[in-house]
Structures are given as structure tokens and as C-alpha cells.
Amino acid sequence: MKDEQDDGPLWTRAVRDDGAAFAALFDRHRPRIYRRALSLTEHSHDAEDITAAAFYELWRKRKSVTLVAGSVAPWLLVTTVNLTQNHRRAAARYRKLLDALPRDDPHAPATDAEDLEARDRLRTTIRGLAPQDAALLVLTGVEEMPVWQAAQAVGLKPPAARVRLHRMRQRLQRDLHDLRPSVRNAPEGTY
């Protein structure tokens, strides 16, 4: 460790609820803790949050924290690493939650249970397609791109893309046939 000032006297006062002593420890160690947090995160605002949380934990646990070589810095550094890992896990869970949320227009009218089921089953069917086929279906069916452009985008010739789209539409009709009786294929011989 670098030549560090002895935190003992300030720490003794901070443990006895002396806010000024704790503030002096904060001022002494904040730059180093912030640099460590910044080196472990992608954004400066995350490093600020982690630094603040580390000092909050130091204050909260001040009755049980033991100085190492007369300094609170080692405890703060370990806490900073742990808080950074917790932050990454929480951010990953948050991103996963956001990715799972529907991306509907907030001003659109509420959908009924049948629409939600149809949407879920359509997503499941699309996820089961090969990536090239799924891209082709989305480009033509959702983005309304002409088949020849979609074919070029996914690396197919237009006739091959048409055949694949035909097969995918058949699969979708099989997978979703029971959801919308009004859009089922008419029985043979009727219109």
C-alpha cells in the first residue's frame, strides 16, 4: 500500500458518531475509491453511485469495521469491488427485464387476452426459425420490405426467399390456426 495517513484517530471518533471525523475520512479516501470504482464500471455516474454506496456502508457498519494497517481504505476497496459486482448483476437483470417487456405503443388501446396469446405464440414461432428465415419474415412481414430487397439483405436470391417465405407462412398457419377462427383458410370448395 502507498504511504497512507493513519486513520486511527479519525476512525475512533467516527465510530463514536462524529460526523466531522467521518467527513474527513471521506475527503481523504474518496478520490481513490472513486478511481477504483471508475476502473471497474463503464460510466462515471455508476462510479459516483458505487463510491457513495461504499461510504454509506462504511458509516452503516462503522461499529464492526476493522482498520487494516491503520487505514479504512482496504475495507473501502473490497466493498467497492463487491458493490461493482452487485451493480453489474442488477444492471443485467434490469436489461433482461426491459428486453422482456412488450414494445407496444403506449397510446394504443389495451389488447385482449387472445391478442396477447397470439403475440406470444408468434414470438415463439419466430424464435424457432433459423436466423436468416426469421430476419426474412420480419423484413417482409413487419417492416413491409419488398421480397427482393429482403432477400438481398439476408443473402438470398429472390426466388429462394419466396420459397422460404411460403414455407414460413404455412408453418405460421399451422402453429397459429386455432387463435383466429375468422382468418382460417376456407374449406376447400368454398370462398
Side-chain angles (χ1 to χ4, degrees), residues 7 22 28 34 66 125 127 138 150 161:
D7 291 336
F22 190 83
R28 180 180 290 177
Y34 174 77
T66 304
T125 299
R127 286 183 188 130
V138 169

Side-chain angles (χ1 to χ4, degrees), residues 77-118:
L77 291 167
V78 169
T79 301
T80 299
V81 170
N82 292 338
L83 288 169
T84 302
Q85 290 172 333
N86 291 344
H87 174 76
R88 273 195 222 116
R89 283 191 294 271
R93 285 191 303 270
Y94 181 67
R95 278 191 297 276
K96 185 177 178 182
L97 172 68
L98 288 180
D99 290 344
L101 292 175
R103 303 276 189 224
D104 293 337
D105 177 10
H107 304 293
T111 57
D112 61 9
E114 187 178 80
D115 288 342
L116 292 174
E117 181 183 358

Side-chain angles (χ1 to χ4, degrees), residues 116-171:
L116 292 174
E117 181 183 358
R119 200 173 307 150
D120 287 344
R121 286 179 54 190
L122 179 60
R123 279 190 198 115
T124 300
T125 299
I126 290 173
R127 286 183 188 130
L129 296 173
Q132 190 177 42
D133 289 345
L136 185 62
L137 184 63
V138 169
L139 290 174
T140 58
V142 178
E143 296 296 325
E144 299 177 354
M145 188 178 284
V147 174
W148 69 268
Q149 278 184 331
Q152 185 178 9
V154 299
L156 294 172
K157 297 201 179 293
R162 284 188 195 90
V163 169
R164 286 183 182 217
L165 283 169
H166 176 73
R167 289 180 184 155
M168 284 185 277
R169 287 184 188 117
Q170 287 178 327
R171 179 177 175 180

Side-chain angles (χ1 to χ4, degrees), residues 7-22 24 59 62:
D7 291 336
L10 285 173
W11 186 243
T12 301
R13 290 176 35 213
V15 169
R16 293 187 197 135
D17 300 333
D18 183 336
F22 190 83
W59 177 258
R62 68 189 175 280

Side-chain angles (χ1 to χ4, degrees), residues 5-18 20-26 28-29 54-68 70-73 75-76:
Q5 297 175 359
D6 182 14
D7 291 336
L10 285 173
W11 186 243
T12 301
R13 290 176 35 213
V15 169
R16 293 187 197 135
D17 300 333
D18 183 336
F22 190 83
L25 288 168
F26 177 85
R28 180 180 290 177
H29 295 290
F55 280 97
Y56 170 74
E57 287 300 309
L58 180 63
W59 177 258
R60 195 172 69 82
K61 296 180 178 182
R62 68 189 175 280
K63 305 286 186 197
S64 63
V65 171
T66 304
L67 300 183
V68 175
S71 177
V72 295
W75 189 93
L76 284 166

